Amino acid sequence: MTVKLFKNKDIFETYGIPLQVFRWHLEGDSKRLHAHEFHELIITLSGSGYHFIGNEKTQIKPGDIFLISPGISHYFKSVSNLSIYNVLYVANAIDFPQADLQSIPGYRVLFEFEPKLREQRGIKPTLNLQNESFQNVVNQVKKIENEVNMRQPGFKSMAIIGLMELFCMISRSYTISDNNPSQSLLKLEKVVNYINKHYSENITLKQLCGIAAMSETALLQKFKITLGTTPIKFMIQVRIQKAAQQLLEHKSSISQVAFENGFEDSNYFSRCFKKNIGCSPREYSQLSK
């Protein structure tokens, strides 16, 4: 099956804003395999059908909300009266307050964990909203749609602000979800957020198991499936990323940077740095000179 690739310029160039909202009504058994360079947030309004990523099939129902990442080929099939909202956006063209958004319980689950798992394992959407919660989301999407279409003065700012409000609204909804997969991913999110906040401290695997309320075996397994690594290796990656930022500022010695980012041994820090970045800390610090 031929894959149709939708490029950013195909969708956003005419409007001058890296954000668009479309409402679609789908019917029948049409296979329109496609991918895109942008993110696609799908909000299911009514009807039913199946969503395919590769050979992985997921039944779609009203209230389902999920994200498709750039480059992922997908399509709908066997749909009946399926009505959806598509919120399309170019993430790297929008100045998101990423650290603040990532601190919201549920944000990483929807925007980071689930898209990877959906691509790799075909997991079903774990967020399904009903009644007032779902209507609030739909109303927020309509506000964004109205700003983009009416194009009144300041519409770009209003639309982007509306998108951030939508992200917050959806993310917060995960905390009230009774879905078991969702709860499992929320536990992993707690671990990831804790590491990102306390990376410079002496964090142990036992401590992370307590935060996740999981056994060591369960945490290692679920963390590996979701993030492709172990909690401790992830912590080292975070430390190295933070250290790399400091090295380019030239405000501290390499030994001091190592210590401030949780490394008690500067030699071990240098080995980890080269393994993750591809060069030594000293060589990296020269890049900005």
Side-chain angles (χ1 to χ4, degrees):
M1 192 186 304
T2 303
V3 179
K4 166 68 176 177
L5 176 64
F6 291 97
K7 298 184 177 182
N8 292 340
K9 65 179 182 179
D10 298 332
I11 305 297
F12 307 104
E13 193 172 80
T14 302
Y15 300 92
I17 180 174
L19 168 63
Q20 282 298 311
V21 177
F22 297 105
R23 181 168 179 170
W24 302 101
H25 183 79
L26 308 176
E27 192 72 47
D29 197 22
S30 174
K31 288 186 178 181
R32 192 185 185 191
L33 183 63
H34 68 279
H36 27 75
E37 296 180 338
F38 43 85
H39 286 81
E40 177 182 358
L41 183 64
I42 298 175
I43 299 164
T44 312
L45 301 173
S46 62
S48 61
Y50 292 93
H51 181 255
F52 283 78
I53 296 179
N55 294 321
E56 299 293 341
K57 179 175 71 172
T58 301
Q59 187 171 12
I60 303 300
K61 58 185 181 298
D64 283 346
I65 299 174
F66 57 101
L67 183 74
I68 303 297
S69 298
I72 304 302
S73 300
H74 66 114
Y75 64 94
F76 289 95
K77 183 181 178 183
S78 302
V79 297
S80 175
N81 196 35
L82 184 65
S83 181
I84 62 173
Y85 259 128
N86 275 358
V87 180
L88 314 178
Y89 62 95
V90 183
N92 59 12
I94 299 175
D95 188 18
F96 290 120
Q98 198 66 17
D100 186 55
L101 288 172
Q102 288 175 332
S103 70
I104 305 171
Y107 179 84
R108 289 184 187 271
V109 176
L110 177 67
F111 294 95
E112 297 177 15
F113 297 169
E114 275 199 6
K116 289 181 181 178
L117 291 172
R118 189 168 293 113
E119 176 186 2
Q120 297 167 1
R121 295 171 175 267
I123 66 162
K124 299 177 181 179
T126 60
L127 182 62
N128 180 274
L129 300 181
Q130 297 295 324
N131 304 321
E132 184 179 358
S133 297
F134 185 64
Q135 191 58 52
N136 289 339
V137 168
V138 173
N139 290 341
Q140 184 64 27
V141 173
K142 288 180 178 179
K143 286 172 60 178
I144 301 170
E145 181 183 32
N146 184 64
E147 288 293 342
V148 172
N149 291 338
M150 296 300 292
R151 302 175 66 83
Q152 295 183 6
F155 80 95
K156 294 180 182 180
S157 296
M158 289 294 290
I160 297 299
I161 291 171
L163 181 64
M164 294 182 189
E165 289 180 334
L166 178 65
F167 287 173
C168 293
M169 186 181 297
I170 295 174
S171 299
R172 289 173 176 176
S173 299
Y174 270 96
T175 61
I176 59 174
S177 172
D178 294 326
N179 187 294
N180 286 332
S182 176
Q183 291 302 314
S184 176
L185 291 175
L186 281 170
K187 289 180 178 181
L188 290 185
E189 184 180 54
K190 284 184 179 180
V191 172
V192 170
N193 285 344
Y194 184 87
I195 290 173
N196 275 281
K197 186 175 182 179
H198 300 276
Y199 62 90
S200 63
E201 301 173 12
N202 183 25
I203 301 175
T204 65
L205 182 58
K206 181 179 180 180
Q207 187 178 0
L208 296 177
C209 289
I211 292 169
M214 292 181 179
S215 68
E216 181 175 319
T217 301
L219 177 60
L220 288 173
Q221 181 184 43
K222 292 184 181 300
F223 206 95
K224 178 73 173 179
I225 290 173
T226 306
L227 286 97
T229 188
T230 68
I232 299 304
K233 287 182 179 179
F234 177 81
M235 178 185 67
I236 291 173
Q237 291 170 0
V238 172
R239 288 175 172 177
I240 294 299
Q241 290 169 2
K242 299 293 184 180
Q245 295 172 8
Q246 280 187 256
L247 286 171
L248 294 178
E249 295 172 357
H250 303 288
K251 294 181 179 180
S252 305
S253 67
I254 291 176
S255 296
Q256 185 65 25
V257 168
F259 178 76
E260 290 176 357
N261 288 281
F263 294 94
E264 296 181 1
D265 184 338
S266 60
N267 290 326
Y268 177 62
F269 165 66
S270 295
R271 291 197 300 272
C272 290
F273 194 95
K274 188 166 186 177
K275 182 178 180 180
N276 283 268
I277 303 298
C279 63
S280 70
R282 190 172 302 281
E283 291 170 335
Y284 188 83
S285 67
Q286 300 299 315
L287 296 178
S288 64
K289 289 186 176 180

